Amino acid sequence: MISEEMRLDIVSAAVYNPEGKSVNDFIFLLLFTEDCKAKVYLKASEYTRSDGKRYLRTEDLKMDFTVKNLKMGIEKVHNGNQILEAALNLFINSNAQELLKEMKPDIKKKLLAQMRIFLDDHLFAMIPYDEWIV
């Protein structure tokens, strides 16, 4: 359960050619909580389905995030050894930012894969292009 207030800012822009057709659509998503900030860069382009309707498809997706006051931990270590568990959790939380730096590339890769699936298979597949562009 998320107890903190979360803010999502969406900034979108497009580049148009002289005929008024969009040539590059992109959206920046900025996710904020008190301790976590994420920036997502999304570039999408239109395509036409067999039914003749136009939809968006993700071309490029990038992200970065920062976490302040990171708390991590482990439990049920070596048959419930509470002394070892406390020592490991102290080490982990004392070095949380360094550990995050090591884990961040894999976390980003997995988050981006899930975001791409959500965007292409659920969000963009359900809303025609003309309803996105006002």
Side-chain angles (χ1 to χ4, degrees):
M1 178 178 210
I2 299 174
S3 61
E4 298 175 10
E5 217 174 286
M6 190 180 305
R7 188 179 94 219
L8 177 64
D9 295 337
I10 302 175
V11 179
S12 65
V15 176
Y16 293 89
N17 66 16
E19 290 81 39
K21 182 172 171 60
S22 173
V23 293
N24 287 323
D25 299 313
F26 53 89
I27 300 171
F28 291 99
L29 303 174
L30 306 169
L31 171 67
F32 298 98
T33 66
E34 187 174 313
D35 292 333
C36 178
K37 292 184 172 132
K39 291 182 183 180
V40 179
Y41 168 79
L42 163 67
K43 181 178 180 183
S45 61
E46 74 175 274
Y47 74 100
T48 305
R49 284 192 192 163
S50 59
D51 63 3
K53 289 186 179 178
R54 299 180 307 159
Y55 289 85
L56 288 173
R57 178 182 299 139
T58 303
E59 272 187 41
D60 193 18
L61 187 60
K62 298 175 185 173
M63 76 165 302
D64 195 19
F65 65 91
T66 58
V67 182
K68 291 191 289 184
N69 302 321
L70 179 63
K71 294 180 180 99
M72 297 189 281
I74 56 173
E75 28 182 62
K76 299 179 184 172
V77 178
H78 198 344
N79 297 324
N81 185 332
Q82 292 182 348
I83 295 171
L84 182 57
E85 184 177 309
L88 285 170
N89 284 329
L90 178 63
F91 172 79
I92 288 169
N93 284 302
S94 297
N95 298 287
Q97 289 298 328
E98 289 301 315
L99 291 168
L100 179 62
K101 282 182 194 174
E102 292 296 319
M103 298 183 327
K104 198 172 183 179
D106 288 332
I107 293 171
K108 283 171 51 173
K109 185 187 288 186
K110 289 177 183 176
L111 285 172
L112 286 169
Q114 291 301 311
M115 280 192 251
R116 185 177 289 271
I117 290 168
F118 172 76
L119 289 168
D120 286 339
D121 296 349
H122 301 285
L123 189 63
F124 290 159
M126 303 295 182
I127 303 172
Y129 177 80
D130 293 329
E131 293 185 33
W132 283 101
I133 307 301
V134 182

